[in-house]
Amino acid sequence: MLMIENRHFTDAHQRDCARVVAALHRDDFQSRASLASTLEMTSTAISKIIADLAERHIIVENAGERKNGRGRPATQIALNPLCAGATILSISSRELIGVLIDFKGNILARETRTVGAGANADEMTAIMRSIVSALIAKCPSSMIHVGTSITVTGITDIKNRIWILTSRWPNIRDFNVEEALLPVTPTVYLFRQLDVELNARFTEQGLFAPDSAAILHWGWGIGLAFRTKADTTQFQSGPFGEIGHWRFNILEDRPCGCGNFGCLETAVSLGALLPTIREIHPDTAEDEETVADQIAHMELASRPEIRMAVRLMARALGNVCRILFPGKVFITGPFIANHGIFDLLQSDFEAEGLVGSLTLPTLIPDRSSFDYVLKGAAQPLFECALDRLLGLTGSN
């Protein structure tokens, strides 16, 4: 949903133009009369706004179907989705996935690069720039490219656009994403992948969203995001939720890529468990989506290494719930595709209990999350596009 409440408007007409664009962004193909009624504007004001937006090529007018009675059919107003576009970079396993989206969030082009485990900041910079440049080159001639959102795993400094640490690429530390990409894109946003995903889930559920929820990803990394329904900031501003680096005495002699010993990831991550899985199925891949398909029907839950990983995950999740008390917990990643593993996790989690008479939250498995990541990362880009299209200045 396009948010306009905090935009900087120089006059009332500009604000009303933004309101019409936001209404069409939410619900395309409306008549002038329906827009006037919904936004409580006069027909004269709507006509002036429509003329202005059409001149800027932000909207298109099409003849709609006749609904009732005689006469000409009502003209339907819709956004021109090609008036603005943006790029989004996200991570899947050790792949960097880039997409070009239009002003309605439709994917127009996609670029994917594999990034080796030993990649450093210079190599990551080159790969990011190549993806974004390739996508921008595919923009239609009339499209304004407004910027790029990058969603990453690991520890981040969102405010300063710094990617502090990720277990997938241990040689990338304190990586300034904004400096890396500003030569090829006008605006750069950095977000934790789980934050934008959870925010998109709240937005989709609207009034039916829980009072609070957490999302836990169990794959190459183990990460957590949390928010409440009343939270208007949408995203964590700094490091949060890296439960993969919680340390356990039972793992104290296992080195972790973060530099410590005994981190949860050393026993439960995909990287830690792949050798065990490959003892049974040597051809198991490294990509999370492919692994999810491959292990879906494997008999893994009885393996001692898997059993210990599940027990540790249940304990960590139980501790999370005793700190945050979420109403729901979404669990994503390749391991929950295996029913035996998920059933075991749920059983161990229920055995954890909560506090007193308080009940544990519902666990909701969902291995597919890219659409939510895309929606969440697109939100600030849509607002940036609104600013550019309407000529707003001084916007955040």
Side-chain angles (χ1 to χ4, degrees), residues 154-155 165-167 222 241-248 256-260 262-265:
I155 301 174
L165 173 70
T166 174
S167 59
I222 315 300
E242 281 302 304
I243 67 170
H245 297 287
W246 280 3
R247 298 164 74 183
F248 288 76
C256 180
C258 71
N260 289 318
C263 293
L264 180 64
E265 284 189 3

Side-chain angles (χ1 to χ4, degrees), residues 6 13 20 257 277 326 375:
N6 297 321
H13 174 69
V20 169
I277 298 172
K375 290 175 183 177

Side-chain angles (χ1 to χ4, degrees), residues 99-352:
V99 295
L100 172 68
I101 61 169
D102 65 20
F103 194 35
K104 289 290 287 182
N106 302 306
I107 296 177
L108 304 181
R110 181 188 297 257
E111 296 280 336
T112 302
R113 306 279 193 279
T114 298
V115 184
N120 59 29
D122 289 340
E123 291 169 309
M124 182 63 77
T125 296
I127 292 172
M128 285 183 171
R129 287 181 181 178
S130 71
I131 292 175
V132 174
S133 297
L135 291 171
I136 292 175
K138 296 178 180 179
C139 287
S141 58
S142 60
M143 176 179 280
I144 299 171
H145 181 265
V146 298
T148 302
S149 279
I150 306 174
T151 69
V152 300
T153 59
I155 301 174
T156 58
D157 177 351
I158 299 300
K159 181 179 179 181
N160 294 305
R161 316 290 203 262
I162 305 294
W163 193 6
I164 298 173
L165 173 70
T166 174
S167 59
R168 302 180 193 195
W169 295 287
N171 293 330
I172 295 175
R173 302 287 182 100
D174 300 321
F175 179 53
N176 191 314
V177 172
E178 187 171 47
E179 285 185 1
L181 279 178
L182 275 183
V184 296
T185 188
T187 304
V188 179
Y189 295 100
L190 173 69
F191 300 112
R192 286 199 324 139
Q193 212 150 284
L194 289 177
D195 287 335
V196 295
E197 180 179 345
L198 185 57
N199 183 64
R201 290 175 186 271
F202 264 82
T203 301
E204 180 180 82
Q205 294 184 24
L207 295 175
F208 300 100
D211 290 335
S212 64
I215 185 168
L216 173 71
H217 182 77
W218 181 10
W220 271 104
I222 315 300
L224 177 85
F226 173 81
R227 69 162 285 185
T228 67
K229 195 172 186 178
D231 181 15
T232 57
T233 61
Q234 301 181 4
F235 309 115
Q236 299 292 339
S237 60
F240 181 84
E242 281 302 304
I243 67 170
H245 297 287
W246 280 3
R247 298 164 74 183
F248 288 76
N249 288 340
I250 193 174
L251 307 174
E252 61 184 359
D253 58 349
R254 299 193 184 199
C256 180
C258 71
N260 289 318
F261 284 77
C263 293
L264 180 64
E265 284 189 3
T266 64
V268 308
S269 69
L270 180 56
L273 293 173
L274 262 179
T276 296
I277 298 172
R278 284 174 172 169
E279 287 178 7
I280 310 170
H281 302 277
D283 295 330
T284 303
E286 292 189 356
D287 171 74
E288 288 189 4
E289 285 299 312
T290 304
V291 170
D293 291 331
Q294 290 177 323
I295 72 171
H297 303 291
M298 292 183 188
E299 294 293 336
L300 295 173
S302 61
R303 298 281 299 192
E305 298 88 348
I306 299 292
R307 185 68 186 85
M308 183 177 77
V310 172
R311 186 167 63 249
L312 289 170
M313 284 294 294
R315 176 59 52 85
L317 184 53
N319 287 336
V320 163
C321 293
R322 282 183 281 272
I323 296 171
L324 300 175
F325 296 95
K328 291 182 179 179
V329 178
F330 300 97
I331 303 182
T332 64
F335 291 105
I336 56 91
N338 184 288
H339 295 294
I341 292 177
F342 180 74
D343 289 345
L344 191 59
L345 175 65
Q346 192 159 32
S347 175
D348 284 0
F349 177 62
E350 290 171 356
E352 283 290 313

